[in-house]
Amino acid sequence: MTDDLPDISRFCSVVAQIHLDSMGKSPNGQYGFHITTHLAYVDNDNSWSGSWEQWYARALKRMLQEEENSHGPDDELKVLTAAMFDKLRTLPKQFPPWSSDPSEGIWGIQHLLHPDMPSRDVFAASYFNDTVITTIEQLLDCEEECLVMELYNLLIRPTHDFELRWHRDDIPPAATGEEEQRRLEEPAWHAQWNLALYDDDSLTVVPGSHKRARTEQERAAEPFAKDMPGQLVVTLKAGDMVFYDNNILHRGVYDSRKERMTLHGSVGHLAGGRVRAQNVLQHGTGEWVERCRFDGLAEGMKGRAESMRQRLVEMGRAEGEGVGFSQED
């Protein structure tokens, strides 16, 4: 043992090798240990978990609680702790608001543009990318000056198999056919996309359903029906990107055996008003967007990002009070 700092590359390689050597050796196929381990004098919560994310979140909460027990409450630490765990889409809920308790597992990470998110500028550079923005301008038939920053999330492999029911993001299932048709005839005022970092076939849609009300057969179908007439499984290879109207009839089917990391974003139009404000602010974006800055981006992209952010701030001030939630589980 010495007090010298190790070579960073060699040190990381050694740590990575330790983890690689332990792969496949769990006696029950889960993450954890059969004995208590310690970080210095602090004992870790190593109870068995179905996923690494679940194990790590519980262990981290244990450490943070030990910090408070030893040194007393700290207002800043409480804010940071809440920010870490409130960015999760936790099982078994499909729609917001999600619990900050990850004990049953998670299926997504919210707020990739949050100012406290590590590597935020990497995500921001992909969100405000020229190719993305140009495509959205074409889809919405508008100029960049009309675009509004909305949501950017990462959808991941869940702890256990998990499915979303058939739904439209902004239209509740209780809507009548006339109500559905009226809403669907209105301009979409947004573009939504999935960008797969791994091969991904989790999204299933009914093509063309964003232009019409549900048929009687679709209304009568079970919420988690596995074979909706005319359905299409959207198959993405790593690096593929698909844009879609979030009011298309769709569902998600998430296989816990398949690795998944898919960037899930949306950009809105100024004319979206209260409907888009609800869709965005129900996720808690309004709690941090006013202090969000994009100084780490290239100059042209930085100006675009700041303008789109400011339009969201102004929309929230005009439409954000009491927007509620678009859907219920």
Side-chain angles (χ1 to χ4, degrees):
M1 297 290 291
T2 71
D3 292 331
D4 295 333
L5 290 175
D7 176 77
I8 190 65
S9 298
R10 183 173 180 278
F11 177 75
C12 290
S13 296
V14 171
V15 173
Q17 191 61 50
I18 292 172
H19 287 276
L20 289 171
D21 290 344
S22 69
M23 290 175 63
K25 296 181 180 178
S26 171
N28 54 16
Q30 294 190 310
Y31 292 80
F33 296 94
H34 61 288
I35 58 173
T36 299
T37 62
H38 291 76
L39 180 60
Y41 63 88
V42 180
D43 57 299
N44 294 326
D45 182 351
N46 285 328
S47 46
W48 296 108
S49 303
S51 73
W52 180 87
E53 295 91 346
Q54 183 179 343
W55 175 87
Y56 184 80
R58 187 169 57 224
L60 181 57
K61 281 191 170 182
R62 167 75 179 83
M63 293 294 179
L64 293 169
Q65 185 60 55
E66 181 64 27
E67 177 70 18
E68 181 172 319
N69 293 343
S70 299
H71 302 288
D74 180 89
D75 291 340
E76 185 176 3
L77 184 59
K78 283 186 176 181
V79 170
L80 292 173
T81 301
M84 282 190 288
F85 292 104
D86 289 346
K87 294 189 181 79
L88 305 177
R89 294 189 177 196
T90 50
L91 296 173
K93 281 188 98 276
Q94 174 170 348
F95 300 113
W98 286 281
S99 166
S100 59
D101 178 9
S103 59
E104 293 190 53
I106 64 176
W107 63 281
I109 299 169
Q110 298 278 88
H111 306 312
L112 298 184
L113 301 179
H114 192 293
D116 298 332
M117 175 67 75
S119 301
R120 192 280 306 268
D121 287 344
V122 174
F123 297 121
S126 69
Y127 182 89
F128 297 108
N129 180 276
D130 287 345
T131 301
V132 174
I133 297 302
T134 300
T135 302
I136 293 170
E137 290 172 356
Q138 294 171 352
L139 290 171
L140 299 184
D141 191 21
C142 71
E143 300 298 325
E144 184 176 312
E145 290 72 21
C146 294
L147 299 183
V148 181
M149 175 181 133
E150 289 197 345
L151 303 172
Y152 209 28
N153 308 313
L154 181 67
L155 306 181
I156 65 172
R157 177 181 60 83
T159 306
H160 52 77
D161 291 354
F162 177 59
E163 300 182 9
L164 308 184
R165 62 171 170 81
W166 288 101
H167 67 285
R168 307 182 192 272
D169 282 5
D170 291 337
I171 304 176
T176 66
E178 292 76 14
E179 290 170 336
E180 266 191 302
Q181 191 61 45
R182 177 181 58 79
R183 288 286 302 277
L184 293 172
E185 287 176 355
E186 297 172 355
W189 301 131
H190 76 281
Q192 183 163 298
W193 70 90
N194 285 1
L195 171 57
L197 305 184
Y198 289 85
D199 293 355
D200 189 356
D201 59 359
S202 303
L203 176 65
T204 302
V205 304
V206 178
S209 60
H210 62 298
K211 296 182 178 180
R212 58 162 178 81
R214 285 168 293 170
T215 65
E216 290 303 316
Q217 192 172 6
E218 289 167 347
R219 285 182 172 275
E222 293 295 321
F224 297 92
K226 298 185 182 301
D227 190 18
M228 188 71 79
Q231 73 176 36
L232 171 70
V233 176
V234 179
T235 302
L236 302 176
K237 292 294 185 181
D240 285 351
M241 189 175 189
V242 60
F243 287 85
Y244 58 101
D245 185 322
N246 71 2
N247 278 327
I248 196 169
L249 196 58
H250 67 287
R251 70 187 295 248
V253 181
Y254 308 131
D255 187 338
S256 60
R257 297 166 299 178
K258 293 182 180 179
E259 191 56 76
R260 187 190 193 209
M261 289 187 183
T262 294
L263 292 165
H264 178 62
S266 69
V267 163
H269 189 290
L270 271 175
R274 190 171 180 82
V275 171
R276 292 314 301 166
Q278 180 183 60
N279 193 274
V280 177
L281 299 177
Q282 67 178 335
H283 291 267
T285 310
E287 297 172 7
W288 51 264
V289 67
E290 293 208 34
R291 64 184 183 89
C292 194
R293 297 292 181 270
F294 296 102
D295 295 335
L297 299 181
E299 196 59 36
M301 188 179 291
K302 173 184 171 183
R304 168 189 292 160
E306 178 54 31
S307 296
M308 290 174 63
R309 182 201 69 85
Q310 186 58 37
R311 292 181 201 119
L312 176 58
V313 171
E314 293 168 359
M315 179 182 287
R317 290 171 180 167
E319 306 282 357
E321 185 175 352
V323 293
F325 297 95
S326 299
Q327 299 277 8
E328 295 181 1
D329 280 284

